[in-house]
Amino acid sequence: MSITRGVSGVQLGHRLAQLRESCGMKQAELARKVTWSQAVLSRIEAGERPISDEELATLLKAIGSDEAADLATVLDRDWQHLPRPALDHPEQHLLWRAEQMTVTLEGAGRLPEVPAAFRTRLDEYVKEIARLAALLLRREHQVAFIGSIGIGKSTAICRAMNLEITGPQGHSMPVLETGAGGVTLCEVHLSRGPGHGIVVEPRTHDDIRSDVEDFVDHIMQSRPSGADEDGTPAVPREIERAIRNMAGLTVKRIKGADGKTVRTDPAKQLMAEFPARRDLVVEVLTRMGLHRRDRRDEWHSPALTATPLEWMKSTFEQINNGRHPEFSLPARLDLILPDLLEIDDIDVRLVDTRGIDQPAGRADLEVLLEDPHTVSILCSGFNDAPSASIQHLLQRARDINNTQIDSNASVLVLARPGEALAVKDEAGSRAETAEEGYELKNEQVLNAFTPYRLGGIPTFFFNALEDEPEGLRTFLRERVTQTRDEFQRQLDDVLDRTQFMLDNAEQEQVQAVQREAGRLLATWIKQHPTPAPLSGHVHDALLNEIERAHAASVNAAVRRDGEWRSLSYTHQLGHGARRAAVTTLQAWVTGFTDLCQTLSDPDSMPEASELLSQAQQLMSTAYDELLRKVQLTGLTLYRDQLREDPQFWSDNAGEWGQGPGYLNRVLGRNREWFQQPQRRDLEDQLAAVLEHEWRTVLERVEAIFGQA
């Protein structure tokens, strides 16, 4: 049988080219060493020509590196349970160890004399190995920058990634459009690719129509300040700017004979021509010419006179402001670059999230905070670090037991010139250097994170105008590498514990101690059979977010049946359901963990430490699965009823434009809706799901005890 089984010719050819290039060997040089034509070798590396075992051995010997010698072993592996990793996967050998252990566990579980509880332990280890291996197999990671508007996130990203051009005055200018907030239409992703390009994921026509309806309502209300009841813009200014540019309705400012500037608004003039709301919406949409805006990507060409970064900056600004005639309003912008944050064998994407304009639990940000493959860089300005918006996100993460922030969250404090030197020590003396100012401020920042149990969170200070960017690049690389290291550590730990279990399965003393530990844990389980009634209400989280939101954000959400980028009803209700479950169960889960740790102490039951570790890990994993299911259940239950009640949304939408007190009126309508009997029934259903899932957790944990 060929040792290349299970591997495509393209994958093998690509790996051979990698091994050759890593040795600094040209294709022609390798071809001469093996006495082949370069054309033959080229076809092999392209995957166009099959290669025999003998030919492969000849090539690997000619390349001569340790990695090349290792490739034959890697190819000979027969993967039965875990997916075969790519040939260049950096954790190839650890994953193979996981595959071999899975084979051993599966085989042990099939033996007829194996007790049921021990077979369950084997099965749970198989599941845990598969879960951790899946984390390690995936090599695509994100670094997401999260923070308030106008603090310099985009500028810092561009500075760190060398995405700058020289401006007219000789100053460096970032490629991403920057300002004091309200600049970027959407989330911006930066990733590696074959050249310099921009890829656009457009907003749906329904979303654009809703945006235009908001804009038309804003125009027709004719508020002198252009603001809503709480003084904020009735339409996000970046969206209004793009709609005006796309529809040719840009405000004109002309100086009169008296030297004063006269402001002319073509949208107001258009309203006089189309006084009916529906007609005006149709006219604006028609002028935007969405049917012509069907382009999805654009790439820099060497034929252009502009440099790649100059072209990218100009094109990005055109698309972001609605000035490019071929692109629609973007839901997401991807900037493709040949060089980015390079980490060996890892694909890293940077995400410049939309700035936070108020402390809020935004769905797009909280999804990133829960993703194990996303490093969340929590950004704050120097003087207010950590900002209220960051602290709000962390509090909400703790409320739902999002433990991902413990390993994947880091802090970036963005300083401006002079701010670090203004910091005073305890004696009232100012910092003498920026580094000293950073150290003093760092103590304050870490103290502020203590309530969120993040006192040791990695923190970096950066002044984009004065500091060298390599320090920030190194910090970001270390954060991604740390995530990978944690995946490896967890898998290594599970494999070690599994081997320990197998090695000691026959020892009577170990079995006796494990039975006693199992008895104590089983007693604990019997004492905690049914969760207490849910505390508070599922909709409390939603009402809290409505209360703190801008009126314009709430209006935008109710006009879209509860789904707006800054306020999602279903996300908040899912969050509320999960928070209720955490409030009900967290103390019990913590108590179980404490009991396991106490029993595994060297002075107590060290022989049972592996069993207790498995029980503790199983409780943690099953509890996390329970929380996710409760979150999804809460979201689904309420989403269906919200969709089926158009009158609710109509009544809420009707409160807009009725004068001060808009938020209070909407809150009143929402409270009344959630207090209706059919909505209280939803909480009863959720409580039943929670009780059932908790019993399932206890059954899974209890099933691993009692081995003979």
Side-chain angles (χ1 to χ4, degrees):
M1 179 181 290
S2 170
I3 63 174
T4 60
R5 62 189 175 196
V7 177
S8 70
V10 172
Q11 187 180 1
L12 178 58
H14 176 68
R15 182 56 178 161
L16 290 170
Q18 283 182 321
L19 294 173
R20 173 180 57 74
E21 290 168 357
S22 67
C23 295
M25 192 181 300
K26 300 292 186 182
Q27 194 178 71
E29 180 184 352
L30 179 58
R32 285 194 300 272
K33 290 185 70 172
V34 296
T35 66
W36 297 352
S37 71
Q38 185 175 349
V40 169
L41 181 56
S42 176
R43 290 183 62 206
I44 289 174
E45 290 187 350
E48 298 172 354
R49 178 190 181 280
I51 182 172
S52 69
D53 292 351
E54 293 75 15
E55 290 174 326
L56 178 61
T58 300
L59 275 180
L60 295 178
K61 183 178 180 180
I63 293 173
S65 66
D66 291 340
E67 285 183 306
D70 191 47
L71 180 59
T73 301
V74 170
L75 287 168
D76 196 36
R77 290 170 176 169
D78 182 18
W79 296 79
Q80 301 176 25
H81 300 282
L82 301 179
R84 176 186 286 275
L87 295 178
D88 63 346
H89 199 291
E91 286 82 36
Q92 179 81 230
H93 297 304
L94 176 58
L95 290 166
W96 176 242
R97 184 182 165 210
E99 167 70 22
Q100 290 178 301
M101 181 60 73
T102 303
V103 171
T104 300
L105 294 173
E106 293 280 9
R110 286 193 293 269
L111 296 175
E113 67 275 12
V114 174
F118 190 67
R119 182 176 288 111
T120 300
R121 295 193 63 196
L122 297 173
D123 291 342
E124 291 293 351
Y125 268 130
V126 168
K127 294 176 186 175
E128 185 67 5
I129 290 171
R131 183 183 71 84
L132 295 172
L135 292 176
L136 202 55
L137 270 165
R138 179 181 165 189
R139 293 187 288 171
E140 296 80 22
H141 287 254
Q142 292 187 140
V143 178
F145 293 78
I146 300 171
S148 302
I149 61 174
I151 60 170
K153 281 192 298 100
S154 301
T155 300
I157 292 171
C158 290
R159 177 73 171 143
M161 297 300 114
N162 293 321
L163 297 178
E164 297 177 317
I165 65 172
T166 302
Q169 306 300 320
H171 300 300
S172 294
M173 297 175 61
V175 168
L176 295 177
E177 192 172 7
T178 59
V183 173
T184 308
L185 276 170
C186 58
E187 195 171 82
V188 178
H189 290 221
L190 289 76
S191 56
R192 291 182 64 186
H196 291 82
I198 298 180
V199 179
V200 176
E201 179 184 316
R203 296 169 71 83
T204 67
H205 282 260
D206 286 344
D207 286 340
I208 294 176
R209 183 180 181 88
S210 295
D211 292 335
V212 171
E213 287 174 345
D214 287 345
F215 170 69
V216 165
D217 286 346
H218 164 60
I219 296 299
M220 298 187 79
Q221 285 176 13
S222 300
R223 292 181 179 274
S225 64
D228 61 28
E229 280 85 343
D230 69 353
T232 57
V235 180
R237 55 182 177 271
E238 64 272 23
I239 291 180
E240 178 181 355
R241 179 173 58 244
I243 290 174
R244 284 182 176 275
N245 285 332
M246 293 171 72
L249 299 173
T250 307
V251 173
K252 297 177 175 59
R253 291 174 173 82
I254 304 173
K255 275 195 174 183
D258 56 359
K260 294 182 178 179
T261 300
V262 178
R263 181 179 184 276
T264 303
D265 187 349
K268 293 290 182 68
Q269 297 172 347
L270 193 64
M271 183 181 68
E273 186 178 349
F274 297 92
R277 177 181 182 272
R278 184 182 63 182
D279 294 343
L280 185 53
V281 168
V282 171
E283 181 62 22
V284 173
L285 286 168
T286 300
R287 291 182 175 225
M288 291 172 71
L290 297 178
H291 63 286
R292 297 190 301 271
R293 298 176 177 272
D294 57 357
R295 190 159 186 176
R296 298 292 180 266
D297 65 300
E298 188 165 344
W299 297 83
H300 179 264
S301 167
L304 297 174
T305 56
T307 67
L309 292 185
E310 289 172 342
W311 166 86
M312 182 167 279
K313 177 177 176 60
S314 173
T315 306
F316 177 85
E317 290 181 358
Q318 286 181 325
I319 296 172
N320 184 58
N321 288 283
R323 294 199 303 265
H324 197 298
E326 298 178 86
F327 286 92
S328 182
L329 280 175
R332 172 175 140 178
L333 281 163
D334 282 69
L335 272 58
I336 313 300
L337 302 151
D339 298 301
L340 199 60
L341 187 67
E342 295 194 16
I343 303 176
D344 290 344
D345 303 311
I346 302 297
D347 181 19
V348 181
R349 175 191 298 267
L350 271 58
V351 182
D352 187 8
T353 64
R354 289 186 302 105
I356 306 171
D357 60 353
Q358 64 194 55
R362 274 180 20 202
D364 60 325
L365 303 182
E366 294 187 331
V367 166
L368 294 171
L369 289 172
E370 292 181 39
D371 179 17
H373 288 86
T374 296
V375 172
S376 298
I377 305 297
L378 308 177
C379 305
S380 294
F382 187 87
N383 291 328
D384 68 343
S387 66
S389 58
I390 293 301
Q391 294 189 56
H392 182 62
L393 283 173
L394 292 175
Q395 183 59 60
R396 283 173 57 89
R398 286 300 185 208
D399 286 346
I400 63 170
N401 195 49
N402 174 14
T403 57
Q404 210 61 59
I405 61 175
D406 295 317
S407 57
N408 286 31
S410 302
V411 176
L412 177 60
V413 180
L414 298 169
R416 291 184 170 88
E419 289 181 330
L421 296 176
V423 179
K424 295 182 179 180
D425 61 17
E426 294 177 351
S429 301
R430 293 183 183 274
E432 296 183 1
T433 64
E435 288 71 21
E436 183 183 354
Y438 290 165
E439 290 178 7
L440 292 172
K441 185 64 176 180
N442 189 45
E443 295 176 9
Q444 302 173 18
V445 171
L446 294 182
N447 287 336
F449 281 119
T450 301
Y452 314 107
R453 305 193 298 280
L454 292 170
I457 188 170
T459 306
F460 191 80
F461 289 77
F462 185 64
N463 180 337
L465 296 180
E466 297 177 349
D467 294 342
E468 290 298 319
E470 183 54 38
L472 178 54
R473 285 196 291 270
T474 300
F475 178 75
L476 298 177
R477 290 192 195 98
E478 289 174 349
R479 302 285 69 76
V480 176
T481 302
Q482 179 184 338
T483 301
R484 301 292 304 179
D485 291 345
E486 180 62 17
F487 292 163
Q488 293 182 52
R489 186 200 65 76
Q490 291 180 16
L491 183 54
D492 260 323
D493 179 62
V494 168
L495 294 175
D496 289 344
R497 286 194 282 112
T498 307
Q499 189 62 56
F500 181 87
M501 175 193 68
L502 294 172
D503 292 343
N504 293 276
E506 302 300 325
Q507 294 186 23
E508 180 54 38
Q509 180 182 357
V510 172
Q511 290 183 6
V513 175
Q514 288 185 346
R515 283 195 294 269
E516 176 60 17
R519 186 187 65 78
L520 295 173
L521 294 180
T523 299
W524 184 95
I525 287 175
K526 288 180 172 59
Q527 294 171 346
H528 301 81
T530 306
L534 292 177
S535 169
H537 296 288
V538 171
H539 59 267
D540 288 344
L542 170 64
L543 298 185
N544 289 339
E545 291 301 308
I546 291 176
E547 195 167 12
R548 68 169 59 243
H550 292 321
S553 294
V554 177
N555 177 52
V558 300
R559 286 171 49 81
R560 293 165 174 81
D561 294 345
E563 299 304 320
W564 173 236
R565 62 185 193 175
S566 296
L567 178 64
S568 165
Y569 268 55
T570 54
H571 175 75
Q572 297 301 335
L573 290 165
H575 177 94
R578 178 166 172 164
R579 185 177 70 174
V582 170
T583 302
T584 301
L585 296 174
Q586 187 63 50
W588 283 3
V589 174
T590 302
F592 183 86
T593 298
D594 292 343
L595 176 60
C596 289
Q597 292 175 346
T598 299
L599 293 177
S600 62
D601 186 89
D603 296 330
S604 185
M605 296 181 173
E607 297 89 348
S609 60
E610 177 271 320
L611 170 64
L612 293 166
S613 293
Q614 185 182 20
Q616 182 179 334
Q617 181 59 55
L618 179 55
M619 172 63 81
S620 175
T621 301
Y623 176 51
D624 187 61
E625 291 172 2
L626 174 150
L627 294 179
R628 292 180 185 278
K629 187 164 185 178
V630 168
Q631 184 174 6
L632 181 60
T633 300
L635 183 155
T636 304
L637 286 174
Y638 285 91
R639 179 185 60 196
D640 293 343
Q641 290 217 7
L642 288 166
R643 285 176 174 175
E644 295 167 3
D645 194 349
Q647 189 61 47
F648 170 70
W649 300 116
S650 177
D651 291 343
N652 278 281
E655 297 294 351
W656 183 255
Q658 301 302 312
Y662 167 76
L663 284 180
N664 288 332
R665 294 194 299 274
V666 170
L667 281 168
R669 286 190 177 277
N670 277 261
R671 287 195 184 95
E672 181 182 351
W673 190 85
F674 283 107
Q675 289 170 359
Q676 292 174 4
Q678 59 266 45
R679 254 66 73 183
R680 293 187 177 183
D681 288 345
L682 295 182
E683 290 195 337
D684 293 339
Q685 293 179 45
L686 187 68
V689 169
L690 178 61
E691 182 176 344
H692 175 269
E693 293 302 316
W694 177 244
R695 283 200 304 270
T696 301
V697 169
L698 297 182
E699 288 168 1
R700 284 184 64 183
V701 175
E702 190 172 26
I704 70 173
F705 304 147
Q707 71 183 70

